[in-house]
Amino acid sequence: MCKVYSVTSQKGGTAKTTTVFNFGAYLAGKGYRVLLVDTDPQGSLTASLGFGNPDMMDVTVANVMEKEINDENYDRKNYAILHHSEGMDILPGNIELSGLEVSLVNTWSREFVLRRYVDKVRDYYDYIIFDCASNLSLTTINCLVASDRVIVPVHAAYLSLKALEQLIKTVGRVKRGLNTGLDIDGILITMLNGRTNYAKGIIELLDTAYGNNIRVYENKIPYSVRAAEIAAEGVSIFKHDPNGKVASAYTGFAEEVLNYE
């Protein structure tokens, strides 16, 4: 059975895209068939995987969604799909997604466009992972409606906790009204400098506020310059710095997700 995850945060700077990249790379390294979907108009995931300037691409997830909106027949297994050297497929995204938002407003069943696509490609993959935009757009709602579970990266900072509160409410609304099978898999603390009392205090606050109802992953992703470098290299942390602390943390996080299934 294909598992579909949305990795989302309503605040930037949470290593959301880095988490999607490395989670997908870990799964692909274990032999799973993985599709990463870049639904952020900035195209950060697409660029991080080494695919040049996303805004110059002719065919992206925006074109896929247009075809679903128009109920067109097309080769979903191959259309717009790119292949990464570490064994992952990617459905790229770019600025065209911003224009698509206008079309979605007047689309029938506008929240279910990506779900229709996912339902037709599930047989080709073991995991589909959405990299969502850092805002509550119709495309992000589409991702949540198409997903089974949500992973929420959170920077150990006060403003990230405020954004988390709003995101949890949003997921709850989607679950009640559009996707009853949706659940939050867990909260992932990222870019952590665990030596500061401030960060320790934020972690304690997070555990107190949400720990009884939502899983906070035991593995936390430390801040590292080496991790920031992967966006320029086009490879995952497992290729760039396989013996480093970030690779170890992402391995532990991915295993937590798999063990929870």
Side-chain angles (χ1 to χ4, degrees):
M1 293 292 291
C2 177
K3 306 287 195 311
V4 185
Y5 287 87
S6 277
V7 180
T8 184
S9 170
Q10 290 190 230
K11 184 180 183 303
T14 60
K16 171 180 57 65
T17 295
T18 302
T19 296
V20 172
F21 188 174
N22 290 311
F23 182 37
Y26 176 86
L27 294 171
K30 291 293 183 181
Y32 293 108
R33 300 168 298 166
V34 179
L35 172 65
L36 307 183
V37 185
D38 189 351
T39 64
D40 189 336
Q42 294 182 7
S44 297
L45 179 64
T46 305
S48 294
L49 269 71
F51 293 105
N53 185 352
D55 290 341
M56 299 299 291
M57 290 184 171
D58 294 326
V59 183
T60 66
V61 66
N63 301 97
V64 168
M65 294 179 72
E66 286 175 350
K67 288 184 177 296
E68 293 296 334
I69 290 169
N70 296 324
D71 199 24
E72 296 181 29
N73 290 321
Y74 65 103
D75 181 7
R76 292 176 178 84
K77 185 177 181 181
N78 297 300
Y79 183 77
I81 298 293
L82 303 174
H83 306 286
H84 190 266
S85 60
E86 293 181 55
M88 300 169 286
D89 285 353
I90 178 171
L91 186 55
N94 64 11
I95 194 63
E96 296 296 328
L97 280 165
S98 294
L100 184 72
E101 285 283 317
V102 178
S103 301
L104 281 175
V105 170
N106 297 313
T107 297
W108 180 259
S109 298
R110 60 190 181 186
E111 301 91 352
F112 292 84
V113 176
L114 277 175
R115 183 166 181 169
R116 292 199 294 270
Y117 173 77
V118 165
D119 286 345
K120 293 165 186 171
V121 300
R122 276 181 179 265
D123 289 345
Y124 306 133
Y125 297 101
D126 300 305
Y127 288 92
I128 298 174
I129 308 169
F130 289 106
D131 182 18
C132 304
S134 299
N135 56 50
L136 187 56
S137 64
L138 273 173
T139 304
T140 298
I141 296 297
N142 262 263
C143 294
L144 296 176
V145 171
S147 295
D148 303 311
R149 306 189 74 81
V150 181
I151 294 170
V152 187
V154 173
H155 183 204
Y158 176 72
L159 291 179
S160 282
L161 295 192
K162 295 297 291 182
L164 173 62
E165 181 180 350
Q166 181 59 45
L167 178 58
I168 290 172
K169 290 179 180 178
T170 298
V171 173
R173 294 189 188 103
V174 171
K175 180 179 176 66
R176 288 192 298 273
L178 298 168
N179 180 6
T180 57
L182 182 67
D183 287 303
I184 295 177
D185 191 81
I187 299 168
L188 176 66
I189 297 174
T190 63
M191 302 178 68
L192 175 65
N193 184 352
R195 294 172 293 181
T196 67
N197 290 329
Y198 175 73
K200 293 175 183 177
I202 293 294
I203 292 172
E204 290 177 3
L205 180 61
L206 184 64
D207 284 330
T208 300
Y210 301 108
N212 291 332
N213 299 311
I214 301 173
R215 178 169 60 147
V216 179
Y217 298 110
E218 292 183 10
N219 288 273
K220 299 167 177 56
I221 312 303
Y223 175 78
S224 170
V225 174
R226 298 286 285 172
E229 292 171 349
I230 68 173
E233 299 293 333
V235 296
S236 73
I237 195 66
F238 305 111
K239 292 288 186 182
H240 185 67
D241 187 22
N243 298 316
K245 60 184 180 180
V246 176
S248 177
Y250 270 118
T251 294
F253 153 70
E255 290 176 350
E256 279 189 77
V257 175
L258 294 181
N259 290 337
Y260 192 66
E261 292 177 351

